[in-house]
Amino acid sequence: MKMTGKKILSQLTLVLICLAFLVILFFVGIFIGYVFLGKGHPSEAFNVANFQHIMDFIK
């Protein structure tokens, strides 16, 4: 089965769009979980100290 350059490019574009969508959904989920479910302040949702606290909790 021979793939043309156009088909490879379209498949690669589709994969990149899906990855970008997943990353966006990941950050939206963090924001919703921290602000609405955790009752945190919106400006602190992506604070590095919060992620460090989570990593320390996991270890």
Side-chain angles (χ1 to χ4, degrees):
M1 177 183 263
K2 187 175 181 181
M3 294 189 70
T4 63
K6 196 176 226 183
K7 183 164 180 143
I8 292 173
L9 185 61
S10 73
Q11 290 293 319
L12 184 61
T13 304
L14 183 63
V15 168
L16 290 176
I17 289 172
C18 287
L19 286 175
F21 188 66
L22 287 174
V23 168
I24 290 169
L25 286 179
F26 175 74
F27 285 109
V28 168
I30 288 174
F31 186 79
I32 289 172
Y34 189 81
V35 174
F36 297 110
L37 299 177
K39 307 294 186 214
H41 195 268
S43 65
E44 297 174 356
F46 298 108
N47 191 354
V48 176
N50 291 335
F51 290 103
Q52 187 62 41
H53 177 71
I54 292 170
M55 293 306 293
D56 290 341
F57 185 70
I58 292 173
K59 290 179 185 178

